[in-house]
Amino acid sequence: MTDKPSYLPERLALLADLNAARYITEGLLAGKEDVSAIALNKATEPLPGDEARGTLMPVRDLVDDAMHGFREEKVTAADAWLAPRLHATLRLTRREAADRRLWNYLALGVAPDYVVWRHTTEPGKGEAPKVAAQRFRGPAYSQAFARLWWAAELFRNGSDYGPVAKVCAHQDMLNTALRLAVIDHRPTAQALVSLIDSGVVRTGREVNALAKAVNASAATIMYDVMAPDVERDGRPMARWIEDAEWAPAVPRRTLPEGPGEERAPEESVAVLTAHFAELFAEAPVRGKRTEDEEAE
């Protein structure tokens, strides 16, 4: 199996796509090779600034704890634990999180062993277990660490990471919702969580049907008008990032606290929860029998 990097510098860094591609070998994807850590770090760019949030070891420690804590469970269970803690450890702005170079570095320079551990596929007929290259270098909805950070950013409710843990524990919702443009609207995100929490939506097929219905409805209904959010205030996020200079390591047994932003309006969440439930009731779910079929 791919091992922990033999060299870990003090600080995180940025790794451009072209440089990252050189280290994504077939051997790495098969979990049979390590990344040449020293050579890779020579190809990086320094992370701007010297803030505490750019320190490497807190992220590496999280990864080690995730792999140890979930070693006897399904690896997918680690997502719900790691996503809020990764978000609270890095304390990034959205602009910073949009830089793929950071996620390339986390996957290849900090924790390639985690990516192999978490994302190696089950062996198929005539196919050996393998990691998809996009888990190391790919879009935000599939890259191993970017997907967790963005799930935490889009589904947290103010400082509350509880909704994040619920979404990340439901792999179909996590994999589908991050591809929806409407998920940036906070009441929409919290309404989807509400439907999971209430048991209205349970299976992967139901999640896919709901996502299609919500996306299609967004073409004719403006959710931000139907269910307005509060005006976003950037000051709580700025203070939260500043507090990283003296913040302790994130708790392992309880959820951390995110930026002290105002929660999504409960009334707006309730409006969209009811609307999405109606959409789902009419949505075609593959393999689901209709009431007429059941009556027969």
Side-chain angles (χ1 to χ4, degrees):
M1 283 286 287
T2 297
D3 205 356
K4 179 178 180 177
S6 58
Y7 169 69
L8 291 170
E10 181 180 343
R11 296 185 60 76
L12 298 171
L14 305 173
L15 182 64
D17 277 348
L18 286 176
N19 290 328
R22 294 164 47 198
Y23 296 93
I24 304 175
T25 64
E26 287 300 315
L28 175 64
L29 297 179
K32 297 179 179 179
E33 291 180 3
D34 297 334
V35 175
S36 179
I38 294 178
L40 180 142
N41 276 281
K42 290 180 179 179
T44 63
E45 303 167 53
L47 198 67
D50 59 355
E51 299 138 299
R53 63 194 177 113
T55 306
L56 184 149
M57 285 312 298
V59 179
R60 181 65 225 190
D61 289 343
L62 274 182
V63 169
D64 286 335
D65 289 347
M67 290 192 291
H68 176 76
F70 294 90
R71 66 192 182 281
E72 296 180 358
E73 300 182 39
K74 289 188 66 174
V75 294
T76 54
D79 288 352
W81 184 89
L82 185 56
R85 291 169 177 84
L86 179 70
H87 187 274
T89 296
L90 290 174
R91 300 202 182 200
L92 302 170
T93 65
R94 289 192 177 190
R95 181 188 294 270
E96 291 168 333
D99 191 340
R100 288 168 51 123
R101 296 176 299 167
L102 175 62
W103 307 118
N104 291 342
Y105 184 72
L106 285 180
L108 290 162
V110 178
D113 50 328
Y114 166 83
V115 180
V116 170
W117 173 81
R118 168 61 184 85
H119 290 289
T120 296
T121 59
E122 295 292 332
K125 292 183 179 179
E127 296 182 359
K130 188 177 181 180
V131 181
Q134 64 183 3
R135 299 301 187 182
F136 288 98
R137 182 189 69 134
Y141 55 77
S142 62
Q143 203 272 353
F145 292 105
R147 66 193 285 270
L148 297 180
W149 190 93
W150 280 105
E153 173 65 11
L154 295 171
F155 282 99
R156 65 181 174 84
N157 196 0
S159 64
D160 181 13
Y161 285 117
V164 178
K166 292 173 183 176
V167 166
C168 291
H170 200 298
Q171 286 295 304
D172 293 291
M173 180 61 80
L174 173 59
N175 294 334
T176 301
L178 290 183
R179 300 170 184 260
L180 303 178
V182 294
I183 208 64
D184 191 37
H185 180 235
R186 296 196 309 158
T188 294
Q190 295 308 312
L192 293 176
V193 174
S194 179
L195 291 176
I196 293 175
D197 212 20
S198 63
V200 172
V201 178
R202 297 184 300 273
T203 69
R205 290 178 177 179
E206 290 176 346
V207 166
N208 291 331
L210 173 64
K212 289 179 182 178
V214 168
N215 235 16
S217 175
T220 57
I221 297 176
M222 298 180 67
Y223 294 151
D224 56 346
V225 174
M226 179 182 183
D229 195 359
V230 295
E231 186 174 344
R232 300 296 292 272
D233 182 353
R235 288 173 295 182
M237 172 64 78
R239 285 194 296 268
W240 187 66
I241 289 175
E242 290 173 3
D243 289 347
E245 292 303 308
W246 52 81
V250 296
R252 268 43 176 180
R253 296 184 181 276
T254 59
L255 286 174
E257 289 191 8
E261 296 174 336
E262 191 172 344
R263 295 170 65 88
E266 292 184 8
E267 189 174 319
S268 293
V269 175
V271 166
L272 287 182
T273 299
H275 177 62
F276 293 165
E278 292 177 2
L279 292 178
F280 177 67
E282 300 297 325
V285 179
R286 189 162 60 90
K288 179 181 177 181
R289 300 180 64 190
T290 66
E291 292 182 0
D292 290 341
E293 290 173 333
E294 290 175 352
E296 293 176 2

